[in-house]
């Protein structure tokens, strides 16, 4: 299948394309009704919030066509894996599941298997799937996700395997059905792709160059969400600091936050991710002055060693990172700071690792995602000499976790006894009588409450510090 380019000039190609896909959805829906099909689907999502958002779109399209969510993967008529390739273990998981699904498909040949997401954008993966995984019926990538209705139709009508991967992105096509996980909070893409080329990271190769959605589109989507009862929006982009720079009418991310703040009904605005190298004072000021913007900042550190940061191509050093933290805290004194850290990057010595520990001790993060470095073929770091032996990386990793746990626990103690506003999200997985939600600082709080409270902002007194979450007691309203 080839990529069609739009020749029209007067119509936004994205709008025209979404109309075309919507027409295919209607055709499929009619076919499902006529044939009395009662098909089910199952989606497994790996990776980041971007993928989670993409899966909401896939399931929205499927439900509009007439598919229902399956009770179990094994009994679904269509199984989709929305894949991630940031680290190798996410890829291994997909190959493992494909082996397992092959047996189910033997028993039920009508089961269809589809793969999409970042992993599909890697040549080596695609070749391997083509050659050794004939059980896969449909493969598409990150740049043409919006073509899912058309590809699904082609797969269903031809009974043949369909593969459509674009090496580059086309226009941004957003206005398609989507089945949002929550009715009161939503993720909204503001930009796609990444231009940073951190030497360990595969994202720029699979998600393409940075491009921003137009602010009008974003504001329209969020206004509609607010009308539908959404209170909290999470703005998604690999590097929101670059938002809007390449638009026909450039606008900064801080300005975008300002405009979103004016939308009635939206109470909380979050965003991720920000790169420390180009965090503007504008954005820091916006955090301080816009009450709807939550006092939480995710600021990936990756390493505390200036030497390693340089090898990572991060464009900041330890001092600059600490300065950004200082400026954020100056503007929003109780801001909660979270981070990503990679352990075992090529050439990382004990001394480099100690620099990371030093920064972690200095900053006192509220939470952190820690990763063992994973070698990704095709990235510059994969070709670097001095790959760190696994045992050494693991030893550092465990020590880092110990330090983080100790510091996070100590920091959380200062919250015990305070009353926080929790947006109740769901019942606890372990106890139906308990609700789970998040504070503006993005802390997770469990408390006793009726499920009718889900979607409301509830005052809760924090009672116990469990390091990675709190338990609390609801303050009864007067
Ligand atoms: N190995 C380990 N962690 C990685 N990340 C990105 N690439 C790699 C890799 N090759 C981490 C970074 C990034 C987060 C989303 O994933 O910390 O911020
Ligand atoms: Fe990967 Fe760096 Fe881009 Fe983040 S900023 S997606 S770590 S290349």
């Amino acid at each position: 299948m080839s990529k069609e380019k739009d020749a029209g000039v007067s119509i936004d190609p994205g709008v025209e394309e979404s109309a075309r896909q919507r027409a295919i959805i209607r055709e499929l829906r009619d076919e499902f009704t006529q044939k009395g099909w009662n098909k089910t689907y199952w989606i497994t999502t790996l990776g980041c919030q971007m993928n989670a958002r993409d899966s909401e779109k896939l399931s929205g399209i499927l439900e509009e066509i007439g598919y229902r969510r399956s009770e179990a993967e094994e009994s679904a008529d269509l199984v989709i894996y929305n894949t991630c390739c940031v680290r190798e273990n996410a890829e291994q998981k997909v190959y493992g599941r494909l082996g397992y699904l092959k047996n189910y498909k033997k028993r039920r040949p009508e089961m269809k298997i589809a793969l999409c997401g970042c992993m599909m954008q890697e040549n080596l993966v695609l070749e391997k799937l083509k050659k050794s995984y004939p059980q896969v019926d449909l493969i598409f990538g990150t740049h043409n996700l919006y073509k899912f209705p058309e590809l699904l139709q082609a797969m269903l009508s031809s009974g043949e395997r369909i593969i459509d991967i674009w090496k580059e992105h086309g226009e941004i096509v957003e206005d398609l059905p989507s089945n949002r996980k929550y009715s009161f909070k939503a993720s909204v893409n503001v930009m796609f792709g990444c231009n940073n080329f951190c030497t360990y990271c595969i994202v720029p190769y699979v998600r393409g160059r940075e491009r921003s959605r137009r602010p009008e589109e974003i504001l329209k989507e969020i206004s509609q969400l607010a009308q539908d009862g959404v209170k909290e929006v999470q703005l998604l982009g690999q590097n929101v600091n670059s938002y809007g720079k390449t638009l026909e009418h450039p606008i900064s991310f801080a300005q975008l936050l300002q405009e979103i703040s004016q939308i009635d009904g939206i109470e909380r605005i979050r965003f991720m991710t920000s790169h420390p190298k180009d965090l503007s004072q504008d954005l820091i000021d916006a955090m301080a002055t816009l009450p709807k913007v939550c006092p939480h900042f995710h600021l990936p550190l990756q390493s505390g060693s200036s030497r390693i940061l340089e090898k990572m191509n991060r464009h900041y050093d330890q001092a600059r990172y600490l300065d950004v933290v200082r400026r954020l805290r100056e503007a929003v004194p109780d801001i909660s700071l979270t981070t990503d850290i990679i352990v075992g990057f090529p050439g990382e010595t004990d001394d480099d690792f100690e620099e990371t520990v030093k920064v972690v001790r200095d900053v006192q993060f509220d939470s952190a995602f820690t990763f063992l470095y994973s070698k990704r073929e095709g990235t510059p770091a994969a070709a670097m000499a001095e790959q760190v032996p696994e045992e050494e990386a693991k030893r550092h990793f465990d020590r880092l976790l110990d330090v983080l746990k100790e510091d996070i626990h100590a920091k959380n103690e200062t919250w015990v006894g305070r009353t926080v506003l929790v947006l109740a999200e769901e019942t606890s997985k372990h106890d139906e009588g308990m609700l789970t939600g998040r504070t503006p600082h993005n802390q997770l709080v469990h408390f006793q409450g009726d499920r009718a409270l889900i979607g409301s902002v509830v005052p809760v007194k924090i009672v116990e510090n469990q390091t990675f979450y709190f338990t609390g007691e609801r303050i009864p309203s007067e």
Side-chain angles (χ1 to χ4, degrees):
M1 241 177 235
S2 67
K3 177 177 158 184
E4 287 165 29
K5 276 275 166 212
D6 192 288
V9 280
S10 56
I11 305 168
D12 181 336
V15 173
E16 198 169 279
E17 186 56 39
S18 70
R20 209 164 76 79
Q21 298 301 326
R22 279 187 183 274
I24 297 172
I25 292 173
R26 282 194 297 275
E27 281 170 30
L28 282 169
R29 191 172 54 210
D30 291 347
E31 189 178 351
F32 268 56
T33 317
Q34 272 164 22
K35 296 189 172 154
W37 280 345
N38 201 4
K39 289 184 188 286
T40 58
Y41 74 95
W42 179 272
I43 304 180
T44 297
T45 309
L46 299 152
C48 67
Q49 305 263 7
M50 288 273 182
N51 268 14
R53 176 75 193 106
D54 283 348
S55 289
E56 289 183 344
K57 294 176 191 169
L58 295 174
S59 84
I61 290 169
L62 287 169
E63 293 194 6
E64 191 124 331
I65 289 171
Y67 278 89
R68 282 175 305 106
R69 196 181 288 267
S70 174
E71 295 288 315
E73 180 176 9
E74 293 79 7
S75 54
D77 296 299
L78 174 65
V79 173
I80 303 181
Y81 273 78
N82 189 0
T83 63
C84 169
C85 59
V86 170
R87 283 168 295 275
E88 196 186 348
N89 51 6
E91 293 198 350
Q92 290 314 331
K93 191 166 173 182
V94 174
Y95 291 124
R97 293 301 296 177
L98 285 177
Y100 174 80
L101 286 173
K102 191 174 170 183
N103 294 325
Y104 279 94
K105 207 166 158 160
K106 268 193 199 131
R107 269 175 261 158
R108 267 195 331 116
E110 68 277 15
M111 174 191 258
K112 299 281 180 202
I113 302 175
L115 298 179
C116 61
C118 295
M119 212 176 139
M120 302 305 117
Q121 298 292 142
E122 291 177 272
N123 288 337
L124 288 175
V125 169
L126 195 60
E127 287 317 309
K128 185 166 164 176
L129 290 170
K130 277 185 189 163
K131 211 165 102 201
S132 315
Y133 292 82
Q135 66 269 44
V136 180
D137 301 280
L138 170 60
I139 299 179
F140 55 102
T142 53
H143 300 312
N144 58 346
L145 184 116
Y146 68 83
K147 265 184 74 182
F148 178 54
E150 187 177 347
L151 299 171
L152 183 69
Q153 188 180 47
M155 180 194 77
L156 291 173
S157 62
S158 71
E160 284 175 12
R161 170 194 270 219
I162 303 289
I163 300 179
D164 190 17
I165 303 289
W166 296 359
K167 287 295 154 218
E168 279 168 40
H169 63 83
E171 60 269 9
I172 295 178
V173 182
E174 276 286 292
D175 185 27
L176 280 169
S178 114
N179 186 12
R180 293 188 174 271
K181 185 171 173 203
Y182 300 101
S183 58
F184 48 88
K185 73 169 199 175
S187 296
V188 175
N189 294 114
V190 297
M191 57 190 307
F192 302 90
C194 180
N195 288 355
N196 289 320
F197 290 95
C198 301
T199 53
Y200 50 81
C201 185
I202 201 163
V203 168
Y205 306 90
V206 296
R207 286 268 174 184
R209 295 293 65 72
E210 262 173 27
R211 56 228 180 263
S212 301
R213 278 179 81 192
R214 285 200 303 260
E216 311 85 84
E217 300 279 327
I218 297 169
L219 294 169
K220 194 171 113 196
E221 181 176 341
I222 298 178
S223 300
Q224 185 59 53
L225 288 169
Q227 276 171 34
D228 294 345
V230 166
K231 294 185 172 129
E232 177 177 312
V233 284
Q234 158 107 299
L235 311 175
L236 298 180
Q238 301 292 353
N239 179 18
V240 294
N241 303 328
S242 319
Y243 174 77
K245 287 189 180 149
T246 52
L247 286 170
E248 196 183 341
H249 304 289
I251 150 173
S252 71
F253 186 61
Q255 283 168 302
L256 182 70
L257 287 178
Q258 218 149 37
E259 302 216 5
I260 296 172
S261 280
Q262 282 161 25
I263 299 176
D264 284 341
I266 297 298
E267 294 173 24
R268 291 180 174 190
I269 304 169
R270 303 185 189 279
F271 57 86
M272 72 189 313
T273 298
S274 258
H275 195 303
K277 81 176 155 79
D278 49 12
L279 181 57
S280 70
Q281 192 56 43
D282 257 18
L283 178 52
I284 296 178
D285 294 343
M287 300 282 305
T289 52
L290 299 173
K292 291 183 182 180
V293 176
C294 290
H296 165 228
F297 210 98
H298 187 68
L299 192 67
L301 168 67
Q302 311 300 5
S303 167
S305 153
S306 299
R307 199 180 72 85
I308 294 294
L309 285 167
E310 191 171 349
K311 288 181 72 172
M312 288 176 161
N313 194 32
R314 291 288 290 174
H315 296 281
Y316 57 86
D317 59 10
Q318 184 191 93
R320 178 120 170 254
Y321 185 91
L322 291 174
D323 188 55
V324 172
V325 169
R326 184 190 56 75
R327 287 188 323 176
L328 278 165
R329 288 210 164 120
E330 208 169 83
V332 186
D334 73 340
I335 197 164
S336 105
L337 292 174
T338 58
T339 198
D340 293 344
I341 300 171
I342 297 176
V343 175
F345 183 83
E348 185 178 76
T349 61
D350 281 351
D351 286 350
D352 293 315
F353 174 70
E354 288 309 322
E355 291 295 295
T356 299
V357 173
K358 174 183 170 287
V359 175
V360 165
R361 289 276 192 217
D362 266 19
V363 175
Q364 298 281 310
F365 291 106
D366 292 77
S367 182
F369 296 101
T370 47
F371 307 105
L372 271 174
Y373 167 72
S374 171
K375 186 173 170 180
R376 308 286 49 222
E377 274 326 317
T379 62
M384 286 181 189
E386 314 175 86
Q387 299 282 327
V388 175
E390 205 176 309
E391 304 80 72
E392 192 178 318
K394 280 209 175 117
R395 187 167 48 81
H396 284 159
F397 185 86
D398 290 345
R399 177 153 131 70
L400 181 63
L401 266 193
D402 287 344
V403 170
L404 279 164
K405 268 194 211 151
E406 191 182 308
D407 285 359
I408 292 170
H409 192 86
K411 191 161 186 200
N412 281 351
E413 281 300 298
T414 61
W415 284 91
V416 175
R418 285 167 73 175
T419 297
V420 290
L421 293 173
V422 179
L423 174 56
E425 293 182 358
E426 54 205 354
T427 53
S428 152
K429 285 175 196 80
H430 309 292
D431 181 350
E432 277 285 303
M434 294 288 274
L435 296 177
T436 293
R438 287 195 182 264
T439 68
H441 291 79
N442 210 34
Q443 297 137 325
L444 204 58
V445 182
H446 297 306
F447 62 100
Q448 206 121 48
D450 192 284
R451 57 179 313 133
L453 288 171
I454 292 175
S456 333
V457 174
V458 185
V460 175
K461 185 172 160 194
I462 292 186
V463 176
E464 235 178 305
N465 165 15
Q466 312 277 7
T467 309
F468 295 111
Y469 66 93
F470 291 108
T471 45
E473 276 165 13
R474 189 177 159 215
I475 310 266
S477 44
E478 281 137 39

